[in-house]
Amino acid sequence: MPDLLLELRSEEIPARMQRKAAGDLKKLVTDALVEAGLTYEGAREYWTPRRLTLDIRGLTARSADQREERKGPRTDAPEGAIAGFLRGAGLSSISEAQVVNDPKKGDFYVAVISRPGRPAEDIIAEVMPGIIRNFPWPKSMRWGAASMPKGARFAGIDGKGPESLRWVRPLQSIVCVFGPEHEETQVIPFEIDGLTASNITYGHRFHAPDAITVRRFDDYVTSLEKAKVMLDADRRKDVILHDARDLAFANGLDLVEDEGLLEEVSGLVEWPHVLMGEFEQDYLEIPSEIIRLTIKTNQKCFVTRPQAGGEGLSNRFILISNIEAKDGGKEIMHGNGKVVRARLSDAKHFWTRDQGDMPDLDTLEESFKKFGLHKEKPLDQRMAKLDALNVTFHAKLGTQGERVARIRALAKELAPIVGADPKLVDRAAVLAKADLRTEAVGEFPELQGLMGRKYALLQGEDASVAAAIEDHWKPNGPSDRLPEDKVGLTVALADKLDTLVGFWAIDEKPTGSKDPYALRRAALGVVRILLERNVRVALRFQMVKTLAILTVAWQFDSALPEVENARRLVEFGLLSPEAFEEIRDRLTGPSSAEVLAEVMGPIAWDKASDLLSFFHDRLKVYLRDQGARHDLIDAVLTPDSDDLLMVARRVEALTAFITSEDGKNLLAGTKRAVQLLAAEEKKGTVVADGVSEELLRLDAEKALWAAITVASKEAAEAVAKEDFRSAMEALSKLRVPVDKFFEDVLVNDEDTAIRANRLALLKAIREATATVADFSKISG
């Protein structure tokens, strides 16, 4: 069966786009070929900075013939219906249709449409121009005459034809060859914007720029290799990594590996050549994180460290060249070294300036007083500056200074719950965002938090405060570490709750795949902190308090009448216009503040309930990732569950119980009881709340009622003590009497009083098990 080789060669494609673009090309081409009736055995994509390549093996040479029977109207249908049928089926006369008899519906027309198969070459030539023209680049461009303003274009580009080709970088050539493995291949010469597909490609831009004729994939790869082009990106990564390790080791160093940087540099070179540069030892006084980011961001180079270990770096770095220089790379290393030294000089300047006094301290007095800051400490000065500049956090959520004030107030509430030192928590909350005004973070935003920790330690802050400044951003995802201690946990919780409640208050919630403010990540961070650090928080109540802090700290202005404050709440979506009109007249009296608080209470509760549901979704994802069954989570979780740690513990206990023999049997009996009850309740039967012992006739029902009475009491006591395993053990005692009940007792007794009492007994089973979980939601 024939194979297809496709190459799209252009100017350099940005490294971050290459892998996805190659995958997109594979999917678009294979989907189009399959839709056209072709099949294939396998396909693999390749990419370099200057080309996207697709190798499709075992492609059918021709699409299959197709036969379709299209049912039409009855033979006595109106002429208009028959004419429409003929047009849709492509028939010129009704005589070309067949008449089929249906015993029930009578005679009707059927068109038999036959479509002969098409050669694969024709299909490929037809689908490829559209795929190339509509390729989903994140950013694309026009070039040459097509990129000029309309009035400046040369004759022939008049805007009346198809839109000129857009590609990520100017497209230079297309290879498209098709044919069997051991026979001569043919070019499929489709054309797009003046480019015609051929069997000609080109090698390395500098080492082998001449034309190369290719026949099929194997000789294509071999020819490119001779022309200094390594087609396989994963092989380029492997060569870079091992050569870099070897070069570092030969110089008594270890490579500091970076998967993201490795992926990027493999997309910058077609023929990787590893070299080593160096900079002055003096620059090692800069924090290693700044050195690493400076060299990585600006020069796409790897750093190294001494083989002895430790966190410090060496003054050597690894760079990846795209050419084999005649001088062994001396000029390349020299040039990169000059740039690295210049960048490190800037970084050292930032690091030094951040430790000094700011020039305008006298203008910051109000901010110093507001946050209890120390005027002689550099990080405090930056916090005062952040507040004084009124740097916006969000147009509807105030400034960064106002946000810090909210986090500080919320952290004060959370400190006793988490068990953290309130003084350390207050200090950490005040300084948490201060490094946003440092020059180091201004240059490298990804260092926020980390630089705050370093500057805090330099000015003598407590180690827990310094750690909390870095850790309050954490965890930044499911695999990121949690804050180190209780101070950091408290500030991290306050930060995330303020973010979530704030954006919920202004209705900026995640929708579908869109989550511009990373609210899902923040909620997952709260879930992880609560569950992995055993923190008990009444989450909905805490969210209501957070909303109150948000409202008081930002929306309300004590200098304004309450009616004006209410108008501001309407403006920001926290109070409906209808609710405002209802209380407007009451907002002018002496109790106006109480009136507004009375109205805002239910609104805050509704907002918190909606956000609690969002937390439940994140909790479900987290617990499922930990191996919990979705039905067991649903059995425990209710809309009012706001102690997420207790939910997780209940799920854990339920999992252990339901997988035991007693649990399986009790589940079966309970589900039977619940199903019988549900059927009766659906009929409108009102089941009594209590069981009458006088109406218990059989030993099995008497034994069951006695067991339910004991098990319910023991389970409730265990739940009150949050001992869920003991609660499950108490319920397990119901297994035998429940089984015996269904063996010996007929619920639908002829005596209506006895029947009603037995239904009440079933209800008692449901209520006893409900102390731990809703067994009706458990599968099995």
Side-chain angles (χ1 to χ4, degrees):
M1 295 176 74
D3 303 329
L4 173 67
L5 168 63
L6 176 71
E7 180 201 71
L8 304 175
R9 188 180 65 87
S10 68
E11 295 289 340
E12 279 73 5
I13 304 167
R16 68 183 183 280
M17 298 182 187
Q18 293 168 18
R19 184 179 290 272
K20 183 179 184 303
D24 288 342
L25 179 65
K26 173 184 171 181
K27 185 177 189 311
L28 290 169
V29 173
T30 55
D31 285 357
L33 296 180
V34 169
E35 187 177 347
L38 300 178
T39 63
Y40 64 97
E41 293 176 357
R44 184 177 173 187
E45 71 275 25
Y46 299 85
W47 62 93
T48 78
R50 299 177 63 217
R51 65 199 82 219
L52 300 178
T53 299
L54 182 60
D55 173 32
I56 301 180
R57 300 293 176 98
L59 189 65
T60 46
R62 185 181 182 86
S63 63
D65 295 340
Q66 294 181 337
R67 183 179 185 276
E68 177 189 354
E69 290 189 358
R70 184 175 298 179
K71 186 177 178 180
R74 285 166 50 96
T75 54
D76 56 357
E79 288 186 9
I82 294 174
F85 166 64
L86 292 177
R87 286 194 301 272
L91 303 181
S92 57
S93 168
I94 196 63
S95 62
E96 297 177 15
Q98 298 178 4
V99 177
V100 177
N101 177 264
D102 186 321
K104 294 182 178 179
K105 298 182 179 179
D107 294 342
F108 59 90
Y109 291 115
V110 172
V112 178
I113 305 170
S114 297
R115 296 189 184 90
R118 300 171 60 204
E121 299 93 316
D122 293 350
I123 293 173
I124 295 166
E126 179 181 285
V127 303
M128 283 311 306
I131 290 172
I132 295 172
R133 191 176 292 281
N134 300 305
F135 199 80
W137 291 109
K139 291 184 178 181
S140 57
M141 62 179 288
R142 296 188 181 94
W143 56 92
S147 66
M148 298 178 185
K150 286 186 177 180
R153 296 181 186 179
F154 59 78
I157 300 181
D158 56 8
K160 295 180 181 179
E163 185 179 353
S164 59
L165 177 64
R166 299 182 68 97
W167 200 248
V168 64
R169 294 292 184 269
L171 190 61
Q172 295 177 327
S173 68
I174 302 171
V175 169
C176 189
V177 293
F178 178 73
E181 183 177 357
H182 300 297
E183 297 178 20
E184 194 61 39
T185 57
Q186 62 173 306
V187 174
I188 301 180
F190 63 85
E191 187 269 342
I192 180 169
D193 267 32
L195 279 177
T196 302
S198 69
N199 60 351
I200 304 296
T201 188
Y202 298 84
H204 192 282
R205 181 186 293 277
F206 304 111
H207 290 306
D210 295 334
I212 301 169
T213 302
V214 297
R215 296 174 62 244
R216 53 179 54 85
F217 182 75
D218 291 342
D219 75 89
Y220 167 77
V221 173
T222 304
S223 298
L224 284 182
E225 194 81 19
K226 292 177 181 177
K228 307 292 186 184
V229 174
M230 198 177 293
L231 183 66
D232 190 335
D234 290 330
R235 183 171 161 236
R236 291 198 304 275
K237 286 176 65 174
D238 190 63
V239 167
I240 292 169
L241 180 60
H242 284 87
D243 286 359
R245 284 174 178 168
D246 292 346
L247 183 57
F249 183 80
N251 285 271
L253 304 169
D254 285 330
L255 178 71
V256 177
E257 297 183 17
D258 185 323
E259 176 60 30
L261 180 58
L262 181 61
E263 173 78 13
E264 183 174 13
V265 296
S266 70
L268 297 176
V269 296
E270 289 194 316
W271 194 248
H273 190 58
V274 175
L275 302 169
M276 179 174 282
E278 64 179 322
F279 55 85
E280 286 73 17
Q281 290 274 355
D282 292 349
Y283 290 121
L284 295 178
E285 297 172 5
I286 307 170
S288 58
E289 294 85 358
I290 295 181
I291 295 174
R292 184 175 178 179
L293 264 178
T294 298
I295 293 176
K296 171 185 175 178
T297 305
N298 294 305
Q299 287 303 104
K300 314 301 180 190
C301 295
F302 297 85
V303 293
T304 62
R305 56 174 168 245
Q307 288 180 351
E311 297 184 3
L313 301 179
S314 79
N315 66 326
R316 304 282 188 90
F317 61 92
I318 300 290
L319 61 105
I320 315 302
S321 171
N322 192 35
I323 60 174
E324 290 181 358
K326 294 178 181 179
D327 63 355
K330 290 180 181 178
E331 281 300 314
I332 296 173
M333 290 184 285
H334 175 70
N336 275 267
K338 284 177 64 177
V339 178
V340 165
R341 282 190 286 275
R343 297 296 187 183
L344 289 178
S345 178
D346 291 342
K348 188 175 183 180
H349 175 70
F350 300 149
W351 169 245
T352 304
R353 276 179 59 89
D354 286 339
Q355 297 173 54
D357 288 339
M358 301 194 76
D360 52 355
L361 296 182
D362 292 340
T363 65
L364 307 176
E365 287 294 343
E366 185 178 340
S367 295
F368 280 122
K369 291 177 182 177
K370 184 192 302 184
F371 292 100
L373 297 166
H374 302 288
K375 195 172 183 179
E376 72 280 1
K377 294 189 174 184
L379 199 57
D380 291 57
Q381 295 172 16
R382 270 79 188 164
M383 179 56 224
K385 188 68 173 178
L386 182 70
D387 178 61
L389 287 175
N390 290 322
V391 177
T392 300
F393 168 63
H394 185 281
K396 290 187 176 182
L397 293 174
T399 67
Q400 287 285 5
E402 290 168 334
R403 183 169 183 241
V404 169
R406 296 196 303 267
I407 292 172
R408 184 185 188 186
L410 184 53
K412 182 180 179 181
E413 298 276 348
L414 291 169
I417 297 173
V418 179
D421 185 316
K423 291 184 179 179
L424 297 180
V425 166
D426 185 71
R427 183 67 175 157
V430 165
L431 295 179
K433 307 295 182 184
D435 65 353
L436 294 177
R437 286 304 305 165
T438 63
E439 295 193 36
V441 172
E443 181 72 12
F444 301 112
E446 53 267 62
L447 290 180
Q448 58 190 5
L450 176 65
M451 295 312 301
R453 180 177 193 165
K454 291 183 179 295
Y455 293 136
L457 289 173
L458 284 173
Q459 69 177 32
E461 299 296 334
D462 186 280
S464 287
V465 171
I469 293 172
E470 177 183 6
D471 290 353
H472 86 281
W473 298 98
K474 296 183 176 298
N476 266 324
S479 58
D480 192 22
R481 69 171 179 85
L482 295 180
E484 293 175 5
D485 63 13
K486 292 181 178 180
V487 175
L489 290 170
T490 304
V491 182
L493 273 176
D495 177 74
K496 290 168 177 57
L497 285 175
D498 175 78
T499 299
L500 287 159
V501 172
F503 282 108
W504 238 254
I506 61 173
D507 283 327
E508 290 280 359
K509 309 171 190 176
T511 55
S513 61
K514 296 180 179 179
D515 187 10
Y517 303 111
L519 301 183
R520 291 188 181 97
R521 184 174 67 191
L524 179 60
V526 172
V527 169
R528 286 190 59 201
I529 288 172
L530 299 182
L531 270 56
E532 295 177 28
R533 291 294 182 267
N534 297 317
V535 177
R536 300 283 306 278
V537 173
L539 203 52
R540 180 158 51 184
F541 178 66
Q542 198 60 56
M543 289 188 290
V544 170
K545 293 176 76 174
T546 305
L547 187 58
I549 291 170
L550 170 68
T551 304
V552 172
W554 175 51
Q555 306 283 9
F556 279 23
D557 184 341
S558 58
L560 291 175
E562 294 298 350
V563 68
E564 293 304 320
N565 278 320
R567 282 199 180 94
R568 298 178 73 184
L569 292 173
V570 172
E571 179 185 346
F572 290 105
L574 291 176
L575 184 65
S576 70
E578 294 78 13
F580 172 71
E581 290 301 328
E582 286 180 11
I583 63 171
R584 185 173 185 173
D585 294 339
R586 299 165 58 200
L587 292 174
T588 57
S591 60
S592 58
E594 289 80 0
V595 171
L596 193 53
E598 177 186 333
V599 173
M600 285 302 298
I603 294 172
W605 191 258
D606 288 344
K607 293 277 186 183
S609 298
D610 187 37
L611 181 51
L612 181 61
S613 176
F614 182 71
F615 272 109
H616 286 173
D617 292 339
R618 297 303 95 199
L619 176 66
K620 290 178 182 179
V621 171
Y622 175 83
L623 291 177
R624 285 199 296 266
D625 288 345
Q626 300 297 310
R629 281 168 41 181
H630 69 89
D631 58 324
L632 300 187
I633 300 170
D634 290 340
V636 168
L637 196 61
T638 69
D640 292 327
S641 300
D642 70 347
D643 187 340
L644 304 189
L645 179 60
M646 289 301 99
V647 171
R649 288 180 178 173
R650 281 178 183 248
V651 171
E652 182 183 357
L654 183 59
T655 301
F657 175 65
I658 216 68
T659 53
S660 69
E661 199 61 33
D662 282 345
K664 291 176 184 176
N665 289 323
L666 179 60
L667 173 63
T670 303
K671 287 178 80 70
R672 185 175 176 184
V674 170
Q675 287 166 359
L676 284 169
L677 275 175
E680 289 297 324
E681 289 168 344
K682 190 174 182 180
K683 295 176 188 175
T685 304
V686 178
V687 181
D689 290 330
V691 173
S692 173
E693 294 189 36
E694 293 79 11
L695 293 174
L696 298 174
R697 296 286 187 264
L698 303 178
D699 291 342
E701 56 185 333
K702 292 176 182 178
L704 177 57
W705 174 239
I708 289 174
T709 303
V710 173
S712 296
K713 181 174 180 294
E714 292 180 353
E717 290 174 352
V719 169
K721 296 175 183 176
E722 297 173 358
D723 184 355
F724 302 113
R725 289 190 180 276
S726 294
M728 298 294 177
E729 290 174 8
L731 292 178
S732 70
K733 297 173 184 176
L734 293 175
R735 173 200 166 179
V736 174
V738 166
D739 289 347
K740 188 67 175 171
F741 175 84
F742 283 116
E743 288 174 8
D744 297 354
V745 178
L746 178 65
V747 175
N748 290 322
D749 194 88
E750 293 179 358
D751 187 321
T752 55
I754 292 175
R755 178 177 178 274
N757 200 53
R758 287 173 180 171
L759 287 173
L761 198 54
L762 297 183
K763 186 175 182 180
I765 296 173
R766 182 172 67 184
E767 290 174 348
T769 55
T771 57
V772 174
D774 183 349
F775 275 51
S776 68
K777 293 184 177 179
I778 303 175
S779 60

